[in-house]
């Protein structure tokens, strides 16, 4: 019974990655071990998020991070869990987290070849009201394992070897690419395993949804203003597009990946580099979008071509359906 095959042929995320790694004969399973520790972190955060209200995990931790944001208890907890899990994997040498001002250089005794940049809890403003939040991560290879330096972290997004996110919503879904397409896995709580549920995700070439915080419209530049105007008042006779904005990047990007459309966090007069952080928000999501057949643009160039100057650098981003991003690229090109 073909239909029932998946019930007995459990394609877990570990098995799936092992299959993919067979393409790289030289791989020593290090990536699989690294990923299993990222997955452990995601399972922990998933469990904590689902009972945050019960475990008094709502509210503020009373600290402020380098971003100038008041850290939520779950921000701090998730960050500690991921840092410890990644270090204990023995496969990392540098970690960059939204919640840590400086990059973490792993002790030589626990050092491996991988650099992980991550946002342990994305969408923190939505924690206390139960709206979907997530974890975002990107993985680079160090240039010289014996001598990791900060330059190893300041690599263009196109050098990523893998990226993904985990969304803590109605179900816990982990979306991952290791460079040959995008796959989605859903946590089966009864097994404690992520099972392949969305093989080979492709973002629709054109969408009917735009996703932006319209509250910033007063400060937008001309091309963004014109694009949003076109979405609301199309001049080519097509129907107006729907606005969907959740305010958690992971949730907004996941919907864009599956349904199509465009997600925008533009620059504005207040924040000339936009709000989203290049290394652990813009790069991983841009990598996934390109792997799924979409694209990601900064207003000036392909997002993955950017080289960060600092680990918490921000960038504007327009990402999603290939044709939708083409539209906004044309408007920016016409403005220059
Ligand atoms: P984080 O919670 O990790 O700091 O990220 C929040 C980000 C991102 O999740 C979301 O797209 C964006 O903030 C929403 O910003 P606005 O509230 O300004 O729209
Ligand atoms: Mn934050
Ligand atoms: Mn974030
Ligand atoms: Mn965050």
């Amino acid at each position: 019974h073909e239909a029932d095959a998946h019930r007995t042929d459990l394609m877990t995320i570990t098995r799936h990655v092992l299959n993919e790694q067979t393409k790289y004969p030289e791989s020593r399973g290090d990536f699989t071990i690294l990923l299993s520790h990222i997955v452990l972190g995601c399972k922990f955060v998933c469990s904590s998020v689902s009972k945050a209200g019960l475990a008094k995990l709502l509210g503020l931790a009373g600290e402020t991070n380098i971003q100038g944001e008041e850290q939520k208890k779950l921000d701090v907890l998730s960050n500690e869990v991921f840092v410890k899990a990644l270090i204990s994997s023995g496969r990392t040498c540098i970690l960059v987290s939204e919640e840590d001002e400086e990059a973490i250089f792993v002790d030589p005794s626990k050092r491996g070849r991988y650099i992980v940049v991550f946002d342990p809890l994305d969408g923190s403003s939505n924690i206390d009201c139960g709206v979907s939040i997530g974890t975002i991560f990107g993985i680079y290879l160090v240039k010289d394992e014996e001598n990791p330096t900060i330059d190893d972290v300041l690599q263009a997004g196109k050098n990523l070897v893998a990226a993904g996110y985990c969304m803590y919503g109605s179900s816990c879904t982990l979306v991952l690419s290791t460079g040959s397409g995008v796959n989605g896995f859903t946590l089966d709580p009864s097994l404690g395993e992520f099972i392949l549920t969305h093989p080979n995700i492709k973002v629709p070439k054109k969408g009917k949804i735009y996703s932006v915080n319209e509250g910033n419209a007063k400060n937008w530049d001309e091309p963004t203003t014109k694009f949003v105007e076109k979405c609301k008042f199309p001049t080519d006779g097509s129907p107006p597009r729907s606005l969907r904005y959740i305010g958690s990047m992971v949730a907004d990007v996941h919907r864009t990946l599956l349904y199509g459309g465009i997600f925008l966090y533009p620059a504005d007069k207040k924040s000339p580099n936009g709000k989203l952080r290049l290394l652990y928000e813009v790069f991983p999501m841009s990598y996934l979008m390109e792997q799924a057949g979409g694209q990601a643009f900064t207003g000036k160039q392909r997002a993955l071509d950017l080289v960060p100057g600092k680990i918490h650098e921000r960038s504007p981003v327009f990402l999603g359906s290939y044709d939708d991003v083409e539209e906004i690229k044309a408007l920016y090109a016409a403005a220059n």
Side-chain angles (χ1 to χ4, degrees):
H1 299 283
E2 195 46 43
D4 291 345
H6 76 282
R7 272 189 236 295
T8 53
D9 183 22
L10 285 178
M11 181 50 82
T12 63
I13 190 166
T14 308
R15 231 188 99 193
H16 189 269
V17 167
L18 274 174
N19 289 352
E20 289 203 328
Q21 293 304 309
T22 51
K23 289 181 203 143
Y24 311 100
E26 81 288 350
S27 86
R28 305 187 302 261
D30 288 339
F31 182 81
T32 306
I33 290 168
L34 171 63
L35 186 80
S36 67
H37 284 77
I38 292 175
V39 164
L40 174 69
C42 292
K43 287 178 186 172
F44 177 88
V45 175
C46 177
S47 147
S48 308
V49 165
S50 56
K51 53 179 181 265
L54 303 170
K56 302 210 178 335
L57 280 173
L58 300 180
L60 298 177
E63 309 283 323
T64 302
N65 64 8
I66 174 67
Q67 328 284 342
E69 301 165 335
E70 286 186 308
Q71 288 177 311
K72 301 274 189 173
K73 288 176 187 157
L74 264 179
D75 277 328
V76 175
L77 182 77
S78 313
N79 189 45
E80 282 170 15
V81 164
F82 275 106
V83 168
K84 286 176 181 155
L86 289 167
I87 291 174
S88 69
S89 76
R91 295 319 188 269
T92 64
C93 55
I94 310 176
L95 306 178
V96 170
S97 163
E98 180 206 352
E99 303 302 335
D100 288 309
E101 182 169 359
E102 304 297 333
I104 297 170
F105 286 80
V106 178
D107 184 88
S109 64
K110 300 290 285 179
R111 191 178 280 169
R113 295 183 291 165
Y114 293 105
I115 291 153
V116 183
V117 294
F118 63 102
D119 178 355
L121 207 70
D122 172 71
S124 306
S125 63
N126 284 321
I127 294 175
D128 293 357
C129 65
V131 168
S132 296
I133 52 184
T135 296
I136 310 171
F137 61 90
I139 300 169
Y140 288 105
L141 270 170
V142 70
K143 293 189 185 76
D144 168 7
E145 192 171 339
E146 297 313 311
N147 176 30
T149 73
I150 196 67
D151 290 338
D152 286 307
V153 171
L154 301 174
Q155 295 187 50
K158 62 188 167 201
N159 294 357
L160 281 169
V161 293
Y165 60 80
C166 191
M167 187 175 77
Y168 312 108
S170 52
S171 63
C172 180
T173 304
L174 199 154
V175 171
L176 173 73
S177 174
T178 59
S180 41
V182 180
N183 292 287
F185 304 83
T186 303
L187 183 62
D188 177 335
S190 64
L191 295 174
E193 288 283 359
F194 280 97
I195 306 296
L196 180 66
T197 47
H198 297 72
N200 194 26
I201 300 175
K202 291 295 172 200
V203 58
K205 194 164 180 304
K206 189 161 180 42
K208 302 188 181 71
I209 296 169
Y210 72 103
S211 185
V212 67
N213 181 343
E214 293 250 10
N216 297 330
K218 187 163 76 68
N219 299 316
W220 288 340
D221 64 17
E222 189 60 30
T224 290
T225 305
K226 273 193 182 147
F227 177 77
V228 173
E229 200 63 17
K230 249 166 65 87
C231 292
K232 295 173 173 174
F233 305 98
T235 50
D236 60 1
S238 57
R241 297 186 214 184
S242 294
L243 169 58
R244 290 284 185 276
Y245 193 71
I246 302 163
S248 286
M249 185 184 198
V250 170
D252 281 317
V253 168
H254 189 58
R255 183 206 54 248
T256 304
L257 195 62
L258 297 185
Y259 295 0
I262 183 168
F263 171 81
L264 311 86
Y265 208 108
D268 66 36
K269 295 186 190 82
K270 277 185 310 160
S271 7
N273 283 327
K275 171 183 183 180
L276 298 177
R277 280 57 57 109
L278 197 49
L279 265 183
Y280 41 79
E281 290 173 320
V282 174
F283 277 168
M285 296 313 207
S286 300
Y287 180 88
L288 289 167
M289 268 308 156
E290 288 200 1
Q291 286 288 321
Q295 56 176 332
F297 177 62
T298 67
K300 293 196 178 71
Q301 63 189 88
R302 177 190 177 224
L304 291 182
D305 286 342
L306 264 178
V307 180
K310 292 199 184 67
I311 61 172
H312 297 297
E313 191 168 309
R314 298 168 193 258
S315 165
V317 66
F318 308 88
L319 58 77
S321 293
Y322 192 89
D323 291 358
D324 298 14
V325 178
E326 278 301 289
E327 283 179 52
I328 198 138
K329 278 166 71 174
L331 287 165
Y332 271 95
N336 295 336

